[in-house]
Amino acid sequence: MASISLVAGCGLVSSGESEEEKAIVVGTTSAPSTLDPAAAWDGSWELFRNVYQTLVSFPSGSAAPEPDAAETCRFTDRENKTYRCELRDGMKFSDGDAMDAASVKHSIDRIRTIAVKGGPEPLLGSLDRVETRGDKEVIFHLKKSDATFPFVLATPAMSIVDPDDYPADKLRDARTITGSGPYLIQSYKVTAKGQPVEAVLAENPHYEGPAERQNSAVTIKYFQDSAAMVGALKAKKIDVTFRGLAPTDIVDLDAQQAANGLQLVEGAGMEIRYLVFTQKDKWTRNPAVRKAVAQLIDRAAISHEVYEGTVEPLYSMVPKGVTGHNAGFFNSFGKPNATKAKALLTAAGIFEPVPLTLWYTTDRYGSGTKPEFDEIKRQLEKPGLFKVTLKSRPWVTYEAGYRKGEYPVFGRGWFPDFPDPDNFIAPFVGPKNALGTPYPSPEITDKLLPESRRESDRAAVDDAFERAQDILVDDARLLPLWQGKQYIAASEEIAGGEQALDPSTIMMMWALERKTSW
């Protein structure tokens, strides 16, 4: 197959190849943790979107799922409890095996059967069972009304896999992928310790779907840090960078892009950062303490002093650009005010500095995390109202710690599963949630979320989510800090960067192309 030969030898091209045939080399710090969709609820989705296929997906510029592997998908009842999809004709996996309704059922069922801890199984909480009719029809029967179910099906976690290669009751242990996406994996390299180094992608000759490939091959290079990645871009060892650019590197690239023959594409992002307050600590279970913190936090200073304007202040758990966003924390607390914070504490009978221990992870959210928490400590201690101790751990032990309730206050980030307000509220509330920190909120979990999920028109759920955000502000157990932007840095000979990001901030590699003329 011609497209495979183009990327033989780790994506290098022979001297006889034309410019447009060169594999586009993309650098990222978002390395996969697994190649099996049943185990992935993380940055592995970046790769999955390009090599696997889902029944529906988010085409560029769309915030609503549209058919992908399916020809049509829709709810067939008024209650949004029965969702029917019909596959495209002649669907095949990259190895030539038929991809049919049974493959879809197998792929979804194994996620729930294997139920990997920390995996995507919780996304299927509303699903009762999957039914197939013939080779092309798949019907999802839900336990309860859930208009967000199509959004769940659009996540790369719901990638369709070949039943012959992916066991029904255990994860697949292999360095290959059998998918039906726009690309196939020609090679996948890791270090001796299993750290991904490179994924070489070639055209999938059996692909049937909406993606219009603008290139014939992509090589993804995985970097440990932004500096090394940007160095490779400037040295023309890679063509594009995405995910993981440090603020200082973004500012530098912006200032010197013309001189270096580079371009920096900025887009709106949905990544958020926030603080979580637990109920186990005697101080953080006190609403006055939490609200005093909310009254002191200077988001603008964090944005400008720590992140050099590459993020923007966020005053709601639902970010800008998503239905139902408001500025609830700003409306309630206004600008940082030490006098108001002190009044909150003294009204609660607190007259001495409050001891707080803030935790953050050292290796998940980028180089700005430590300076960010240093700045938060400075802001809380400056008026003399708090005495802050900072502690940190690498992610592997950090996550285990907050799930055990060990941290009074801890920092978290959220990359949305899908661009709907439900996904910025539902995961964090209820007795069992994504934070491992029980947060009972009956009005949200028993009334507002169920009501909103009965509404297919997601633009019509503003009122429910604005009310939910008002509740979150009043409780102040989750404190939004900032909302990220998206940046793609690329050689000036690369086009398509603006079209390469879907609404859930995953790069669609097929939109990138090498310019053939100037």
Side-chain angles (χ1 to χ4, degrees):
M1 183 175 63
S3 58
I4 291 182
S5 65
L6 291 177
V7 292
C10 306
L12 298 176
V13 296
S14 69
S15 59
E17 290 172 333
S18 63
E19 189 74 13
E20 61 266 27
E21 289 176 327
K22 286 183 181 179
I24 292 178
V25 185
V26 178
T28 178
T29 61
S30 183
S33 64
T34 175
L35 296 183
D36 192 327
W41 198 358
D42 57 20
S44 305
W45 289 9
E46 298 279 8
L47 177 62
F48 291 0
R49 174 59 74 204
N50 294 277
V51 294
Y52 289 110
Q53 202 171 9
T54 47
L55 286 170
V56 292
S57 64
F58 298 105
S60 181
S62 174
E66 296 183 12
D68 195 316
E71 185 71 38
T72 61
C73 282
R74 65 184 182 90
F75 280 106
T76 60
D77 63 329
R78 293 182 178 180
E79 296 182 339
N80 293 332
K81 293 178 67 175
T82 305
Y83 193 69
R84 176 187 176 276
C85 292
E86 184 170 339
L87 294 175
R88 296 173 182 267
D89 290 328
M91 296 296 291
K92 293 182 180 180
F93 290 104
S94 56
D95 62 359
D97 287 355
M99 193 258 271
D100 55 15
S103 305
V104 177
K105 176 175 169 58
H106 172 85
S107 302
I108 303 300
D109 285 348
R110 71 188 293 267
I111 293 172
R112 299 203 295 170
T113 298
I114 300 172
V116 174
K117 185 177 180 181
E121 186 263 342
L123 290 172
L124 293 169
S126 63
L127 179 63
D128 181 21
R129 60 189 176 90
V130 185
E131 176 189 1
T132 61
R133 294 179 183 173
D135 290 337
K136 293 178 59 180
E137 188 174 357
V138 186
I139 302 171
F140 299 92
H141 299 277
L142 309 184
K143 303 171 188 175
K144 52 191 176 183
S145 299
D146 189 357
T148 70
F149 187 72
F151 291 79
V152 172
L153 286 181
T155 67
M158 306 301 145
S159 296
I160 304 167
V161 299
D162 189 339
D164 289 344
D165 295 331
Y166 293 76
D169 58 355
K170 63 180 180 180
L171 296 176
R172 182 175 189 243
D173 184 16
R175 292 183 186 172
T176 58
I177 282 176
T178 309
S180 60
Y183 299 98
L184 55 79
I185 282 195
Q186 185 181 352
S187 69
Y188 185 71
K189 296 182 179 180
V190 300
T191 65
K193 295 182 178 181
Q195 179 68 33
V197 174
E198 176 186 85
V200 177
L201 312 186
E203 286 185 356
N204 175 6
H206 299 295
Y207 174 69
E208 295 289 341
E212 297 180 2
R213 285 175 300 223
Q214 303 300 315
N215 60 70
S216 61
V218 173
T219 297
I220 305 173
K221 301 279 190 179
Y222 297 109
F223 291 85
Q224 294 296 306
D225 59 65
S226 175
M229 185 168 65
V230 171
L233 179 67
K234 290 180 176 179
K236 300 189 182 303
K237 294 180 180 179
I238 61 176
D239 300 304
V240 183
T241 66
F242 175 62
R243 190 77 76 195
L245 285 170
T248 52
D249 288 324
I250 293 171
V251 172
D252 176 65
L253 286 166
D254 186 39
Q256 302 183 38
Q257 53 184 312
N260 290 322
L262 302 174
Q263 56 180 313
L264 184 68
V265 178
E266 177 183 331
M270 296 184 186
E271 167 193 359
I272 69 171
R273 292 289 188 276
Y274 56 99
L275 296 178
V276 182
F277 296 87
T278 65
Q279 294 292 88
K280 289 187 176 182
D281 180 77
K282 75 171 186 176
W283 294 109
T284 56
R285 77 166 65 104
N286 188 327
V289 171
R290 303 194 299 266
K291 291 181 179 182
V293 173
Q295 187 64 72
L296 289 175
I297 290 293
D298 188 341
R299 295 166 175 82
I302 294 172
S303 171
H304 294 290
E305 301 299 326
V306 178
Y307 291 98
E308 301 190 55
T310 61
V311 305
E312 55 185 320
L314 181 63
Y315 298 93
S316 162
M317 289 298 289
V318 178
K320 294 179 182 177
V322 177
T323 298
H325 165 79
N326 65 20
F329 275 91
F330 186 83
N331 295 338
S332 293
F333 296 98
K335 295 181 179 180
N337 189 306
T339 301
K340 290 181 179 179
K342 183 176 181 179
L344 287 166
L345 294 173
T346 55
I350 301 172
F351 302 99
E352 299 295 327
V354 176
L356 279 186
T357 301
L358 274 62
W359 284 81
Y360 64 92
T361 181
T362 57
D363 59 353
R364 186 170 179 87
Y365 300 129
S367 59
T369 304
K370 183 183 185 304
E372 175 182 353
F373 275 77
D374 287 339
E375 173 63 16
I376 291 173
K377 172 183 170 71
R378 186 194 69 78
Q379 292 177 9
L380 296 182
E381 290 189 334
K382 184 177 179 180
L385 302 179
F386 290 92
K387 180 60 180 176
V388 177
T389 300
L390 296 181
K391 292 188 177 182
S392 61
R393 287 176 176 172
W395 178 256
V396 65
T397 53
Y398 181 77
E399 182 182 23
Y402 73 67
R403 292 192 181 280
K404 293 177 183 177
E406 294 178 2
Y407 314 148
V409 189
F410 62 95
R412 272 298 312 261
W414 185 249
F415 298 90
D417 302 315
F418 48 84
D420 187 272
D422 188 285
N423 197 235
F424 291 93
I425 292 179
F428 312 127
V429 295
K432 294 182 179 180
N433 58 50
L435 300 171
T437 302
Y439 181 0
S441 183
E443 185 177 353
I444 295 178
T445 57
D446 301 344
K447 181 178 184 292
L448 297 173
L449 290 177
E451 286 179 356
S452 71
R453 289 171 178 172
R454 287 194 286 270
E455 178 56 67
S456 295
D457 180 3
R458 303 308 290 165
V461 297
D462 281 35
D463 290 347
F465 284 105
E466 287 186 9
R467 171 58 188 154
Q469 290 172 88
D470 289 343
I471 294 170
L472 296 182
V473 170
D474 189 55
D475 292 343
R477 290 189 53 182
L478 303 171
L479 186 63
L481 297 173
W482 54 262
Q483 173 177 350
K485 302 175 184 178
Q486 295 186 92
Y487 293 92
I488 293 177
S491 164
E492 59 186 8
E493 68 183 41
I494 298 297
E498 296 86 348
Q499 292 78 39
L501 301 175
D502 80 358
S504 54
T505 70
I506 293 175
M507 179 176 277
M508 299 179 290
M509 305 290 182
W510 60 83
L512 300 172
E513 61 179 314
R514 196 179 298 279
K515 298 175 184 176
T516 56
S517 62
W518 295 92

